[in-house]
């Protein structure tokens, strides 16, 4: 396994440090920077007793040298050793048409010298339905990137595949993934299945459990006001192991600190799809957090539903649809900070974070300053933006 040229800037406790990880990220942490213009715009609280805020963002879109860096690389770092262990020839995965996850799997395949097959579901979410130019939506943005990476891109779902690649099995309404796995095995090759967002993979939550340790190592250097911590951390909840992993990581950090310090850091997961109820996601996130927790040294009872805080107020009209309020947020961030969000996840998350701040929905940590440090995790996804060109 290749070694990073510089050592990790933080250490993990045992048994976490013993779990195999294949480096896909830069050896330095993804940057955290203040959102200065937005923070200044909040500097006059509406009442003298209201808290003041400092807003920051962690740039998981700048975490890896690989294609259109995003949050899946951090998860895949812990899955690659298992991929190699199985003598895999072909990674197989699935996602929505403009999936970022499948791009990251395709790039990892290339980095490892493997092939990839990506199944893009036409019926997943409302992105395709809402696009005025459906043909463009099926060819641009992340679909184009997947093809540039040499992935075997296959559309699945109710509509016929407009562009069946060589060797494509075309459409299978029953279980396209199973068909593809069989097809690869028939050729004498070894497929490796990575479920959507890598969340249902048993190792899927470890990357962001490690990410929590990275965040506290950056807190120490950031010279934050108030509690000196990121009191609230806002992150997308799609397939759920990003938020689940963070919950597990912060829980282990708290448990190891074993002292009455400031109140615990709170992770708030912002949902981006109205398809399934919040309770469904809460159950999954709790499972992912506990599963990661068991591998890093926590007991099942250490994490409870009280640790899972998901918000479904910002889901918009459908998964993958840029509703007017989310679009406003995307433009606001671009025009105040010069930072580009993605239309599917991060614009909804940031809309949520600004809502919490503007409506005083966050309780300051116990400190005389009544100050709140809020961290927005930018999980990437801007490469889908080109496919949303005709949204208005
Ligand atoms: C996949 C993805 C998410 C959601 O992460 P999950 O771990 O699936 O909840 C958020 N943002 C972007 C840009 C993504 O690609």
């Amino acid at each position: 396994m290749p070694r990073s040229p510089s050592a990790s800037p933080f250490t993990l406790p045992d048994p976490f440090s013993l779990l195999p990880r294949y480096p896909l990220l830069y050896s330095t942490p993804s940057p955290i920077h203040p959102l200065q213009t937005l923070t200044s715009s909040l500097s006059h609280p509406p009442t003298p007793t209201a808290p003041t805020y400092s807003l920051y963002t962690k740039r998981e879109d700048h975490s890896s040298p690989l294609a259109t860096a995003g949050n899946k690389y951090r998860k895949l770092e812990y899955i690659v050793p298992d991929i190699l262990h199985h003598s895999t020839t072909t990674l197989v995965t699935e996602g929505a048409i403009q999936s970022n996850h499948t791009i990251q799997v395709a790039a990892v395949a290339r980095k490892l010298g493997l092939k990839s097959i990506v199944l893009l579901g036409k019926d997943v979410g409302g992105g395709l339905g809402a696009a005025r130019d459906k043909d463009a939506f099926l060819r641009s943005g992340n679909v184009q990137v997947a093809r540039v990476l040499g992935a075997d891109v296959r559309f699945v779902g109710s509509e016929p595949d407009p562009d069946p690649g060589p060797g494509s099995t075309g459409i299978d309404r029953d279980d396209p993934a199973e068909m593809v796995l069989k097809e690869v095995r028939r050729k004498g090759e070894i497929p490796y299945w990575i479920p959507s967002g890598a969340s249902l993979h048993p190792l899927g939550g470890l990357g962001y459990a490690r990410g929590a340790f990275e965040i506290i190592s950056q807190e120490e250097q950031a010279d934050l006001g108030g509690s000196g911590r990121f009191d609230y951390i806002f992150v997308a909840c799609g397939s759920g192991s990003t938020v689940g992993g963070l919950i597990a990581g912060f829980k282990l950090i708290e448990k190891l600190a074993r002292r009455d310090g400031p109140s615990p850091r709170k992770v708030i997961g912002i949902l981006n799809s109205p398809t399934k109820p919040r309770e469904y996601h809460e159950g999954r996130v709790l499972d992912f957090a506990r599963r990661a927790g068991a591998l890093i040294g926590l007991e099942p009872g250490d994490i409870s539903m009280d640790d899972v805080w998901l918000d479904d107020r910002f889901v918009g009209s459908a998964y993958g649809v840029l509703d007017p309020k989310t679009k406003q947020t995307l433009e606001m961030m671009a025009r105040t900070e010069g930072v580009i969000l993605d239309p599917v996840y991060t614009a909804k998350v940031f809309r949520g974070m600004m809502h919490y701040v503007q409506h005083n929905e966050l309780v300051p940590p116990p400190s005389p300053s009544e100050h709140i440090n809020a961290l927005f995790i930018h999980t990437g996804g801007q490469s889908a933006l080109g496919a949303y060109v005709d949204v208005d």
Side-chain angles (χ1 to χ4, degrees):
M1 190 185 296
R3 297 231 164 253
S4 318
S6 58
S8 176
F10 56 92
T11 51
L12 296 174
D14 290 350
F16 196 175
S17 66
L18 306 172
L19 299 173
R21 181 176 67 90
Y22 184 100
L24 298 171
L25 308 185
Y26 292 116
S27 56
T28 48
S30 69
I32 291 182
H33 64 84
L35 293 167
Q36 252 144 3
T37 312
L38 288 171
T39 296
S40 323
S41 74
L42 297 167
S43 63
H44 300 292
T47 64
T49 53
T52 52
Y53 297 89
S54 295
L55 309 183
Y56 294 84
T57 179
K58 180 165 173 70
R59 303 299 298 270
E60 291 289 277
D61 57 328
H62 293 180
S63 65
S64 170
L66 297 175
T68 67
N71 64 336
K72 307 307 181 304
Y73 289 124
R74 201 178 273 284
K75 305 185 195 195
L76 290 164
E77 283 197 322
Y78 280 99
I79 297 176
V80 169
D82 193 53
I83 290 170
L84 297 176
H85 177 73
H86 284 89
S87 310
T88 304
T89 63
T90 310
L91 302 183
V92 184
T93 193
E94 63 176 354
I97 298 289
Q98 288 295 331
S99 154
N100 307 303
H101 161 76
T102 55
I103 298 296
Q104 292 167 69
V105 169
V108 168
R110 287 291 111 132
K111 171 129 173 111
L112 301 175
L114 309 177
K115 295 186 247 184
S116 67
I117 302 177
V118 307
L119 305 174
L120 303 181
K122 290 185 158 184
D123 301 327
V124 181
L128 181 60
R132 251 188 283 137
D133 184 345
K134 301 205 188 320
D135 188 47
F137 195 81
L138 290 165
R139 284 172 39 224
S140 59
N142 280 329
V143 180
Q144 179 187 10
V145 179
R147 291 203 166 116
V148 170
L149 288 164
D152 179 350
V153 175
R154 313 218 186 148
F155 293 108
V156 295
S158 55
E159 293 177 52
D161 186 342
D163 183 15
S168 166
T169 50
I171 301 112
D172 183 276
R173 281 167 216 225
D174 298 318
D175 190 352
E178 209 41 64
M179 300 268 298
V180 167
L181 295 176
K182 275 191 201 142
E183 174 196 321
V184 174
R185 285 191 200 104
R186 260 200 314 272
K187 287 195 235 158
E189 300 185 352
I190 303 171
Y192 189 98
W193 170 245
I194 301 177
S196 177
S199 287
L200 286 169
H201 192 289
L203 305 169
L206 292 172
Y208 274 91
R210 180 172 176 277
F213 282 83
E214 184 173 299
I215 290 170
I216 64 155
S217 79
Q218 290 174 289
E219 259 175 5
E220 285 157 15
Q221 294 150 17
D223 196 19
L224 302 172
S227 65
R229 300 173 160 203
F230 294 114
D231 306 298
Y232 292 92
I233 293 156
F234 289 84
V235 66
C237 178
S239 64
S241 65
T242 300
V243 61
L246 284 171
I247 290 169
F250 283 120
K251 186 56 82 172
L252 180 60
I253 289 163
E254 263 175 51
K255 192 174 173 179
L256 296 174
R258 271 197 222 102
R259 58 182 163 80
D260 297 329
S263 60
R265 301 164 185 84
K266 290 216 173 353
V267 181
I268 303 180
I270 305 290
L271 292 163
N272 42 66
S273 169
T275 311
K276 299 249 173 58
R278 196 184 68 228
E279 295 72 26
Y280 165 85
H281 293 283
E282 286 168 344
R284 271 169 67 108
V285 168
L286 181 61
D287 282 352
F288 297 148
R290 284 187 171 153
R291 194 190 287 179
L295 295 168
I296 65 176
L298 289 169
E299 307 291 326
D302 286 336
I303 302 175
S304 75
M305 207 43 117
D306 292 342
D307 300 306
V308 179
W309 179 348
L310 301 185
D311 195 318
D312 58 4
R313 289 177 294 169
F314 311 101
V315 294
S317 50
Y319 172 81
V321 173
L322 184 55
D323 60 278
K325 287 203 168 125
T326 304
K327 189 176 184 220
Q328 253 172 29
T329 301
L330 192 144
E331 290 171 351
M332 183 274 286
M333 180 67 132
R335 293 167 195 183
T336 52
E337 295 285 347
V339 170
I340 298 294
L341 301 172
D342 88 286
V344 180
Y345 298 96
T346 51
K348 289 180 179 177
V349 177
F350 199 63
R351 188 188 149 207
M353 173 158 137
M354 292 309 288
H355 178 97
Y356 271 87
V357 167
Q358 284 161 345
H359 293 80
N360 266 318
E361 291 184 9
L362 300 174
V363 178
S367 87
S369 60
E370 295 285 304
H371 187 79
I372 293 174
N373 296 312
L375 179 68
F376 158 65
I377 312 255
H378 192 324
T379 42
Q382 296 99 321
S383 49
L385 199 54
Y388 285 78
V389 66
D390 63 349
V391 172
D392 50 25

